[in-house]
Amino acid sequence: MPGQLYKQLHSDWQNALVDLQPHIDSLERSLDIKNLAPEFHNIFRALNAPISSVRVVIFGQDPYPTAGVAHGLAFSAEEHSGRIPASLKNIFIELSDDTGNALRTQTDLSDWAQQGVLLLNRILTTSVGSSLSHSKLDWERVTDRIAKVLGERDVVAICWGLYAQEVAKFFREEWLITSVHPSPLSAYRGFFGSKPFSTANRILSKNGMTPINW
């Protein structure tokens, strides 16, 4: 019965997306639960905290298609999956270069989420084994609204890749960080050296907010 997906949302997001509930129910009916990344119960995992807790949002494209890797937080990967996705590996390289921290190996980015970093793909599902297979379901109606809500608040937006940058229009320029996607196909064309983590913390500090412990 449709309505289970909408129930995954924190009550704040339910209120913000209430007029989109019929569309979310339609999305739910379109999904093949047995062939889905992430698993159904994790689709809205990124949105299970209050809107007021969000300090940074990182936008990606769509979930990792390999079974057992995606778990509802963009770019994050299940710790037990036994592998570091190529894009995440590049994120960790830039993170280390940017902050001076040791090279991270923990693939689960829940510690970022717990600090108010919303990790959100533009398209929230895909079929196992196939990237962008749900590109025609119109997840963007939902994620555009999320971007609009956050853009009206003091939230730093980090948009990686052209697809993610479509939501840049919802954010004030001084709160916006953009670069190419961290995938191996593009990371050397402007992701490496972009310093998104220190830049985000600088924006937060400038506005009297606590920096993220990346």
Side-chain angles (χ1 to χ4, degrees):
M1 178 184 296
Q4 298 309 302
L5 186 56
Y6 184 76
K7 288 179 181 177
Q8 291 183 18
L9 295 164
H10 186 275
S11 57
D12 281 2
W13 286 113
Q14 287 183 353
N15 291 335
L17 302 174
V18 64
D19 60 310
L20 294 182
Q21 184 175 0
H23 180 61
I24 293 170
D25 290 347
S26 177
L27 286 165
E28 182 176 345
R29 287 191 292 267
S30 301
L31 300 174
D32 178 1
I33 305 300
K34 297 178 181 178
N35 185 39
L36 196 62
E39 294 182 0
F40 182 82
H41 68 277
N42 276 329
I43 292 174
F44 277 144
R45 181 182 171 191
L47 300 169
N48 62 13
I51 293 174
S52 61
S53 70
V54 181
R55 292 186 285 151
V56 177
V57 57
I58 300 179
F59 284 98
Q61 181 173 276
D62 72 330
Y64 300 123
T66 304
V69 177
H71 61 160
L73 305 177
F75 297 106
S76 184
E78 285 279 14
E79 204 66 39
H80 62 70
S81 66
R83 59 189 295 270
I84 302 180
S87 293
L88 187 57
K89 189 176 295 185
N90 287 338
I91 289 169
F92 288 168
I93 291 171
E94 176 60 20
L95 174 64
S96 179
D97 289 345
D98 184 10
T99 63
N101 295 339
L103 191 66
R104 179 174 173 134
T105 58
Q106 180 183 328
T107 60
D108 185 341
L109 303 180
S110 296
D111 56 310
W112 292 3
Q114 289 162 6
Q115 296 179 74
V117 180
L118 176 55
L119 298 156
L120 193 71
N121 283 308
R122 288 277 279 136
I123 301 168
L124 295 183
T125 58
T126 196
S127 297
V128 171
S130 180
S131 293
L132 290 173
S133 61
H134 293 179
S135 60
K136 298 195 183 338
L137 295 186
D138 201 11
W139 271 113
E140 293 87 346
R141 277 186 67 188
V142 178
T143 52
D144 278 3
R145 174 65 64 79
I146 294 166
K148 185 175 185 298
V149 170
L150 296 176
E152 293 170 351
R153 306 178 64 86
D154 290 344
V155 173
V156 178
I158 302 175
C159 301
W160 286 333
L162 290 176
Y163 202 55
Q165 288 171 30
E166 290 179 359
V167 301
K169 62 188 177 184
F170 295 111
F171 297 90
R172 290 163 286 164
E173 185 176 353
E174 63 270 24
W175 290 83
L176 181 63
I177 301 167
T178 63
S179 79
V180 299
H181 195 275
S183 78
L185 296 175
S186 57
Y188 286 95
R189 293 191 280 111
F191 177 74
F192 290 135
S194 61
K195 300 187 179 301
F197 307 101
S198 61
T199 303
N201 277 352
R202 191 159 53 248
I203 295 169
L204 291 171
S205 296
K206 180 181 177 180
N207 289 277
M209 301 168 72
T210 305
I212 304 297
N213 181 13
W214 300 108

